[in-house]
């Protein structure tokens, strides 16, 4: 086949691949908000793609202040929410299950809940003063928190079945350095990720809602996992 014909066929195939219907992919990313002095630690977007919240910290005059921002248009615009406890503890994690119901967690075992989309916040009692890193809720009642950092204690896991009114401590083990993130695919199957006491990557899985955890194998040379997400009990 002449070279020019092969080239024409190649162009035709490229054109077809560009115009054929395909599933939407996140091929490019744009910065929609940036504040040089704010370190954003976590982001939660609802399935509608419009409503989202992010939490972080900023340092002002030697004092660490908490920040909560919200979008209602898919990230095109963000507003900073008033947070009466901004000096209480740096915020590390955020989770929402609806446009009104959500939680944020942070240093010193701090948990705050909202029922109005973040306009007002109410403290909840965690039962610990350890660092809380991330929070995950399946629905308005069932939720988990993980954290701990460099304190040589257990892998920190907290669980609630009443929307955070009370939290059960499901911490385990004695080789913990940190738990960075937590995710549940359903009420029984969940995962935590982070570092062990040797600063090696750790991934643990539960199949009984957090009553027990089994360490999973991490590939040799893998970096420290700082985030985890599952779409089913087997795929993540």
């Amino acid at each position: 086949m002449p070279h020019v014909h092969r080239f024409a066929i190649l162009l035709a195939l490229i054109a077809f691949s560009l115009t054929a219907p395909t599933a939407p992919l996140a091929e490019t990313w744009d910065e929609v908000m940036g504040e040089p002095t704010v370190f954003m630690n976590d982001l939660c977007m609802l399935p509608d793609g419009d409503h989202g919240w992010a939490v972080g910290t900023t340092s002002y005059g030697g004092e660490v202040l908490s920040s909560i921002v919200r979008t209602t248009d898919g990230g095109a615009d963000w507003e900073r929410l008033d947070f009466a406890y901004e000096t209480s503890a740096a915020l590390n994690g955020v989770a929402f299950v609806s446009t009104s119901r959500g939680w944020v967690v942070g240093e010193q075992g701090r948990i705050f809940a909202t029922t109005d989309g973040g306009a007002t916040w109410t403290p909840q009692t965690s039962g610990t003063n350890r660092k809380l890193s991330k929070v995950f809720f399946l629905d308005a009642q069932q939720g988990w928190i993980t954290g701990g950092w460099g304190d040589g204690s257990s892998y920190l896991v907290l669980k609630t079945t009443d929307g955070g009114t009370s939290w059960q401590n499901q911490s385990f083990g004695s080789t913990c350095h940190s738990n960075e993130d937590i995710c549940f695919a359903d009420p029984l199957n969940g995962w935590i990720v982070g570092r062990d006491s040797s600063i090696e990557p750790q991934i643990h899985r539960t199949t009984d809602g957090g009553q027990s955890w089994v360490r999973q194998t991490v590939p040799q040379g893998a970096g420290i996992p700082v985030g985890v997400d599952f779409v089913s009990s087997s795929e993540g």
Side-chain angles (χ1 to χ4, degrees), residues 26-98:
E27 295 180 344
T28 60
W29 294 84
D30 297 314
E31 181 177 309
V32 295
M33 183 195 72
E35 292 187 54
T37 60
V38 178
F39 296 90
M40 306 311 295
N41 296 323
D42 199 17
L43 169 71
C44 173
M45 294 294 297
L46 292 183
D48 64 12
D50 291 325
H51 294 83
W53 296 259
V55 297
T57 58
T58 182
S59 180
Y60 181 79
E63 186 175 33
V64 175
L65 306 178
S66 299
S67 297
I68 305 176
V69 295
R70 176 177 64 186
T71 181
T72 58
D73 55 13
D77 299 287
W78 294 83
E79 62 173 324
R80 185 166 181 172
L81 301 177
D82 290 332
F83 185 55
Y85 307 95
E86 68 175 1
T87 62
S88 296
L91 297 180
N92 300 315
V94 55
F96 272 76
V97 295
S98 68

Side-chain angles (χ1 to χ4, degrees), residues 88-140:
S88 296
L91 297 180
N92 300 315
V94 55
F96 272 76
V97 295
S98 68
T99 57
S100 58
R101 192 80 170 99
W103 298 260
V104 294
V105 301
E107 307 288 336
Q108 303 168 358
R110 301 300 177 89
I111 308 172
F112 303 93
T114 181
T115 57
D116 54 18
T120 59
W121 296 87
T122 301
Q124 293 185 332
T125 301
S126 68
T128 181
N129 62 0
R130 298 175 68 187
K131 173 184 177 179
L132 305 183
S133 294
K134 294 296 183 290
V135 54
F136 180 90
F137 270 78
L138 277 176
D139 53 44

Side-chain angles (χ1 to χ4, degrees), residues 194-217:
R195 314 178 190 201
D196 64 15
S197 56
S198 298
I199 319 299
E200 295 294 331
Q202 62 89 3
I203 302 175
H204 283 80
R205 180 186 181 184
T206 180
T207 57
D208 56 15
Q211 294 298 319
S212 61
W213 296 83
V214 176
R215 188 162 183 170
Q216 297 190 302
T217 301

Side-chain angles (χ1 to χ4, degrees), residues 61 64 79 163 179 191 193 220 226 231 235:
V64 175
E79 62 173 324
N179 279 350
W191 297 259
V193 300
Q220 185 71 26
V226 296
V231 296
E235 186 176 3

Side-chain angles (χ1 to χ4, degrees), residues 152-223:
S153 187
S154 58
Y155 290 104
L156 174 63
V157 179
L158 306 178
K159 178 181 180 180
T160 183
T161 56
D162 55 16
T165 300
S166 61
W167 290 88
Q168 174 189 355
N169 195 320
Q170 295 184 325
S171 300
F172 65 96
S174 59
T175 61
C176 173
H177 181 80
S178 71
N179 279 350
E180 302 288 347
D181 200 8
I182 187 166
C183 175
F184 274 75
D186 55 54
L188 297 178
N189 291 280
W191 297 259
I192 58 171
V193 300
R195 314 178 190 201
D196 64 15
S197 56
S198 298
I199 319 299
E200 295 294 331
Q202 62 89 3
I203 302 175
H204 283 80
R205 180 186 181 184
T206 180
T207 57
D208 56 15
Q211 294 298 319
S212 61
W213 296 83
V214 176
R215 188 162 183 170
Q216 297 190 302
T217 301
V218 179
Q220 185 71 26

